[in-house]
Amino acid sequence: RFTTRRSRISAALNEKLSQDISPVLKRHLREQAVLLPKADICTVDSFCKNIISDNFDVLSLPPDFKIIPDPQIAIMKEQALTDTVEYFLSVKKTEFSSLMKLLATDSRLENIRSVISLIHDYMLTLPFPEEWREDCIAMYRNFDSVAGSPWGQWILQSLYSRFNSTADLLQAVIQEISADEVLSQKRGGDLKEGLNFCLEMLDLIQGSSYDLICSKVQECQKIKWSKNLSKNDIYDPLLQEKTERAREKYHKTVEKAKKNLLFSEKDCKRVAKELTPFIELLFEATEYYSELLREAKSEKNYLDFADIEHLTLKLLAVRENRQTILTPLSLTVSQSFKEVLVDEYQDTNEL
């Protein structure tokens, strides 16, 4: 695969060099053509596997470690999930049964097994999954205010963006229909009320209490045309259609806000407190599952692709007080590369 890619790159360079190009570009392309045979073209996993193979003793790995086949890892995962659920139903039956019932209320989730698997797989895409786990638990355990919580900030920022774009649209339409006497008289005032509400919400989101924002949103009413258009009215139908679309966008923005801001600050604190033990138990079960899976792979000297990526990171960097410090090996490896080109970058993750 990569031999073919190298050949294609070489052909593209030669084709470009045959064209009438500037001396500077030609010199650069000739340099790339000379360097191409020595270029390390590989997958990230292959790159990681080579580093681990050269340093297996540092990681206390057996020199004959193998990459686990997909069918085998699937079997191991199913067994580890079964053992995890059975274990927690035996040692924490009441708490774990309650967790299962809680998760069953979300139609997007298949069952407790799928949730544990999803969390486990997601954590493997992170460079420092333990920190993410700590942060998730802290969001519930240390919940102090909606505006101070990550999801509260996300909701308020999202609503601010929605009200801001809606206000821009309303203002633009009001400006456009100002030259149309009929629409200006029969639509302008109603749209202006919607615009004023959007502007008021923007001010509240920026500086008011969460409860006041919730209260204001729930008071909002839909825009109703106070004056109907008659058959005798002469107006621009395209502008009239724009007023309808602006009103529809306003309604969607308000409805979204009402759905997102159903609970008071007090209710949010109560729910966060109630959910904290469930979140802690869910991560405990996920860690237990991860450990069973690690043991099963270790017995057969198996590693999966996530393992070799994390082990490579362990060789290249250490983490102290949430600060990343490069190892001497990392500096040595980096000196082997002058430039790095990443293909299919959209398929990468944080790790």
Side-chain angles (χ1 to χ4, degrees), residues 64-99:
D64 59 341
F65 73 85
K66 304 178 288 292
I67 302 300
I68 188 169
D70 289 340
Q72 188 66 30
I73 189 63
I75 294 172
M76 286 184 177
K77 285 182 175 181
E78 283 300 310
Q79 186 59 54
L81 283 169
T82 298
D83 293 345
T84 298
V85 173
E86 290 180 354
Y87 172 78
F88 279 90
L89 283 176
S90 65
V91 299
K92 295 185 178 182
K93 182 176 182 179
T94 301
E95 299 93 328
F96 201 69
S97 296
S98 297
L99 174 60

Side-chain angles (χ1 to χ4, degrees), residues 77 122 143 159 193 213 263 347-348:
K77 285 182 175 181
Y122 175 71
F143 185 90
L159 291 179
E193 288 184 11
I213 296 171
F263 300 101
D347 293 334
T348 62

Side-chain angles (χ1 to χ4, degrees), residues 280-305:
E280 293 172 339
L281 181 57
L282 182 56
F283 275 108
E284 183 183 348
T286 303
E287 179 58 32
Y288 186 86
Y289 162 72
S290 299
E291 185 58 34
L292 290 181
L293 197 55
R294 276 193 292 268
E295 291 175 357
K297 289 184 291 185
S298 179
E299 287 178 3
K300 298 182 179 295
N301 291 341
Y302 275 141
L303 294 175
D304 59 26
F305 290 123

Side-chain angles (χ1 to χ4, degrees), residues 90-224:
S90 65
V91 299
K92 295 185 178 182
K93 182 176 182 179
T94 301
E95 299 93 328
F96 201 69
S97 296
S98 297
L99 174 60
M100 294 173 69
K101 291 179 181 178
L102 176 65
L103 295 174
T105 61
D106 192 332
S107 60
R108 297 170 298 177
L109 305 177
E110 203 172 311
N111 51 45
I112 186 67
R113 294 164 62 94
S114 67
V115 177
I116 292 173
S117 180
L118 284 170
I119 294 176
H120 166 80
D121 291 347
Y122 175 71
M123 291 179 70
L124 292 180
T125 69
L126 303 175
F128 308 106
E130 300 82 5
E131 294 179 7
W132 179 77
R133 181 183 65 238
E134 292 171 2
D135 291 341
C136 287
I137 295 174
M139 284 193 297
Y140 292 86
R141 184 187 293 160
N142 303 330
F143 185 90
D144 181 61
S145 67
V146 174
S149 68
W151 58 79
Q153 292 172 5
W154 182 87
I155 288 175
L156 293 177
Q157 289 171 2
S158 175
L159 291 179
Y160 185 91
S161 177
R162 284 178 175 273
F163 277 110
N164 192 46
S165 63
T166 302
D168 287 343
L169 177 60
L170 288 170
Q171 196 164 30
V173 172
I174 291 171
Q175 179 64 33
E176 281 192 78
I177 66 173
S178 63
D180 188 304
E181 184 178 355
V182 173
L183 293 178
S184 180
Q185 290 180 357
K186 295 190 174 183
R187 294 289 185 266
D190 299 323
L191 293 178
K192 182 68 174 178
E193 288 184 11
L195 173 60
N196 289 338
F197 180 80
C198 288
L199 296 176
E200 185 176 0
M201 285 303 304
L202 291 175
D203 288 338
L204 289 175
I205 292 173
Q206 284 186 310
S208 298
S209 69
Y210 176 77
D211 283 340
L212 182 57
I213 296 171
C214 291
S215 176
K216 191 65 180 178
V217 163
Q218 300 306 325
E219 292 175 2
C220 180
Q221 301 295 322
K222 291 184 176 181
I223 294 177
K224 294 183 179 180

Side-chain angles (χ1 to χ4, degrees), residues 210-273:
Y210 176 77
D211 283 340
L212 182 57
I213 296 171
C214 291
S215 176
K216 191 65 180 178
V217 163
Q218 300 306 325
E219 292 175 2
C220 180
Q221 301 295 322
K222 291 184 176 181
I223 294 177
K224 294 183 179 180
W225 300 133
S226 55
K227 298 177 181 179
N228 294 324
L229 295 172
S230 69
K231 295 181 179 180
N232 297 325
D233 287 332
I234 300 175
Y235 55 87
D236 186 333
L238 294 178
L239 286 180
Q240 191 272 337
E241 179 61 27
K242 286 187 176 183
T243 65
E244 294 292 347
R245 288 201 298 268
R247 182 173 72 159
E248 182 180 358
K249 180 176 176 63
Y250 173 81
H251 291 166
K252 288 182 177 180
T253 297
V254 171
E255 287 305 311
K256 186 71 174 180
K258 287 185 176 181
K259 289 180 181 179
N260 286 339
L261 303 175
L262 286 174
F263 300 101
S264 66
E265 184 92 37
K266 183 178 179 181
D267 289 334
C268 290
K269 289 181 179 180
R270 173 183 55 78
V271 172
K273 184 176 181 180

